[in-house]
Amino acid sequence: MENLNRDDRRAVVPLGQGDPSSFPCFRTAQVAEDAVVDAVRSAEFNCYAPTVGILPARRAIADHLSRDLPYKLSPDDVYLTIGGTQAIEVIVTALARPGANILLPRPGYPCYVARAALCGLEVRYFDLLPNRGWEVDLERMEDLADANTVAMVIINPGNPCGTVFSYQHLKEIAETARKLGIMVIADEVYDHLAFGDTPFVPMGVFASITPVLTVGSLSKRWIVPGWRLGWVATNDPNGFLKDTGVVESIVGFLNVSPDPTTFVQAAIPQILERTNEEFFLKVLRMLREGADICYDKIQEIPCLACPKRPEGSMFAMVKLNSSLLEDIEDDLDFCVKLAREESVLVLPGMALGMKNWLRITFAVEPSSLEDGLERMKAFCHRHVKKQHTGSILEVEFEIGWLPMVVWKLGSGGGEGDVSGVLVAVGQTTVVDGGGVCRRWSVAGGGVKLGAGEVEVVLNGGI
């Protein structure tokens, strides 16, 4: 925020944080508000709570999660935390031991990295593959693990990639974990926020293959991150987590740590049981609309490419080609200058383990989202490089997220040499590297590609 221009009177557009609660269109369900009010007015929940959480709340969450599982959880499988962040803290601390390591996704959620560092737990990264819809690179994961690996983290629906893993891919992940002899930490804070063709499947479905520790929260699905109510659920039909002392370590940590607010805990049964389906459908409609706006607008912006239309959570990962821009060194520099010049906030990918990428949230009121993306487009147009050499113009950029190529655009006869392939105006031609040249407008001075739909605007024509 310190990088904002205080003289810019336009409203700041927050496209960096997944908290849409400040927008009236994302207000939580009335039944959730009433449940908290009823708990407060009852005067029965002004007390300390048990360190693992009050029984009615734990029972309600167990029943809520069991609806999607082939077995039934009990209240003893659920532990309440101060939001999803403390749930991560609990699990990572419980698993840490000298010499141990944990497998984290790249890009991923930085809270895992920070907590692992505090616990002395070595982090090893496996990649999420943009050219495969951000699926897990399971082959690389097998190379990373050893006898000291304690767990892998899977975030689904995906923060920051906006993906929803298929049933088959989740099963493959579980089978890989079993092969490696490790458990899965399933971060499902965005559970059921899936609005594409792939339905949300909880990782706990595969707990008979490998034990699963689920991180959950009220924050995202109900749009109440400030209520700070999360949980850890042990999906452990084979008893592994109990036999190895993981459950004991979780309880021990909670015995010496703060608890979520008692009256919010007390509101949980009413919230989970009485929130109607129309509220959830409304949230999904707004997220789908925001995802479409974000993906479509990105295609109009020079130097940016989104490899996959988001299908879940609240985010999209966008590739930045800073080599096309004047005075922009990398993603951090891009974000700082975008905030200063346009009062738009986005998160640099380096914070998530991916340099020269950006995380953009689309969980924003639609008119604000469109305004923010238009400002980003203006920013990129203002900074785009312009290189003229006689009648030939050379431009370096990426086809979507693929390796960089050099395009030499000639001025004669509406034809140009594109990596050795002759492209005529209006013709659709497959280009080296998988890109598809959909339009080459000499008059407009632009080239638009199918893979990632990157548009490079060259002011002044060719």
Side-chain angles (χ1 to χ4, degrees), residues 77-112:
D77 296 317
V78 176
Y79 308 89
L80 300 192
T81 59
I82 305 174
T85 301
Q86 193 190 35
I88 294 170
E89 180 181 1
V90 170
I91 292 173
V92 174
T93 304
L95 297 180
R97 65 170 189 263
N101 64 77
I102 188 170
L103 306 183
L104 300 184
R106 180 173 53 204
Y109 185 52
C111 186
Y112 287 97

Side-chain angles (χ1 to χ4, degrees), residues 11-251:
V12 175
V13 182
L15 303 183
Q17 187 177 23
D19 180 6
S21 61
S22 60
F23 296 98
C25 62
F26 279 100
R27 183 169 179 170
T28 193
Q30 183 70 47
V31 68
E33 297 175 352
D34 292 343
V36 172
V37 171
D38 290 347
V40 171
R41 287 181 173 168
S42 73
E44 296 179 9
F45 303 102
N46 298 327
C47 55
Y48 292 119
T51 57
V52 295
I54 64 175
L55 180 60
R58 291 161 57 217
R59 180 183 294 115
I61 292 170
D63 291 344
H64 173 72
L65 297 177
S66 296
R67 295 171 192 166
D68 298 322
L69 299 174
Y71 51 89
K72 186 172 177 59
L73 296 176
S74 78
D76 291 337
D77 296 317
V78 176
Y79 308 89
L80 300 192
T81 59
I82 305 174
T85 301
Q86 193 190 35
I88 294 170
E89 180 181 1
V90 170
I91 292 173
V92 174
T93 304
L95 297 180
R97 65 170 189 263
N101 64 77
I102 188 170
L103 306 183
L104 300 184
R106 180 173 53 204
Y109 185 52
C111 186
Y112 287 97
V113 182
R115 180 48 52 181
L118 286 172
C119 294
L121 194 59
E122 179 193 351
V123 169
R124 298 180 180 180
Y125 293 101
F126 59 88
D127 289 325
L128 305 181
L129 304 173
N131 59 337
R132 284 171 40 188
W134 296 109
E135 286 189 344
V136 174
D137 186 348
L138 293 174
E139 292 182 6
R140 175 61 177 153
M141 180 183 287
E142 292 189 28
D143 294 337
L144 291 171
D146 60 21
N148 292 318
T149 303
V150 293
M152 67 170 76
V153 172
I154 299 296
I155 305 175
N156 181 51
N159 174 11
C161 300
T163 50
V164 180
F165 291 142
S166 68
Y167 179 99
Q168 182 59 35
H169 189 55
L170 290 170
K171 184 179 180 181
E172 291 170 354
I173 291 171
E175 290 170 343
T176 301
R178 179 176 62 183
K179 179 179 179 181
L180 299 175
I182 61 178
M183 69 188 74
V184 175
I185 300 168
D187 188 324
E188 296 175 355
V189 167
Y190 293 89
D191 68 329
H192 292 283
L193 294 184
F195 43 82
D197 295 331
T198 306
F200 168 72
V201 177
M203 194 73 207
V205 167
F206 307 101
S208 61
I209 299 175
T210 193
V212 176
L213 288 168
T214 298
V215 174
S217 174
L218 205 66
S219 300
K220 305 301 182 178
R221 197 177 182 202
W222 274 267
I223 322 292
V224 287
W227 291 10
R228 310 310 298 141
L229 196 289
W231 56 80
V232 174
T234 55
N235 302 269
D236 189 29
N238 298 323
F240 175 85
L241 298 175
K242 286 186 178 179
D243 294 344
T244 56
V246 173
V247 169
E248 182 181 359
S249 295
I250 290 172
V251 173

Side-chain angles (χ1 to χ4, degrees), residues 371-419:
D371 180 31
L373 293 170
E374 282 296 328
R375 294 190 208 176
M376 192 181 301
K377 181 178 179 180
F379 173 84
C380 291
H381 278 294
R382 192 163 57 248
H383 286 271
V384 72
K385 289 180 179 178
K386 307 169 187 65
Q387 299 177 344
H388 291 265
T389 306
S391 61
I392 299 294
L393 182 61
E394 294 189 7
V395 184
E396 289 188 344
F397 64 101
E398 295 181 11
I399 300 178
W401 56 95
L402 299 176
M404 183 172 292
V405 295
V406 177
W407 293 58
K408 295 182 179 180
L409 308 179
S411 60
E415 296 181 346
D417 184 24
V418 185
S419 295

Side-chain angles (χ1 to χ4, degrees), residues 286-359:
M286 290 188 295
L287 291 176
R288 184 183 299 110
E289 179 184 1
D292 288 343
I293 291 171
C294 183
Y295 183 81
D296 292 342
K297 287 287 186 182
I298 289 299
Q299 313 316 310
E300 303 173 4
I301 301 178
C303 72
L304 298 184
C306 185
K308 181 176 174 62
R309 187 183 296 269
E311 294 187 336
S313 77
M314 301 176 176
F315 307 103
M317 278 296 280
V318 175
K319 184 73 174 75
L320 169 69
N321 187 349
S322 58
S323 68
L324 294 181
L325 301 176
E326 297 282 2
D327 303 322
I328 301 293
E329 295 181 5
D330 53 25
D331 54 314
L332 179 59
D333 194 31
F334 180 96
C335 292
V336 169
K337 290 175 179 174
L338 178 66
R340 184 179 302 131
E341 296 179 26
E342 296 291 347
S343 295
V344 174
L345 304 178
V346 298
L347 187 69
M350 65 174 59
L352 311 168
M354 292 277 280
K355 186 174 181 179
N356 286 329
W357 288 74
L358 309 170
R359 190 192 75 172

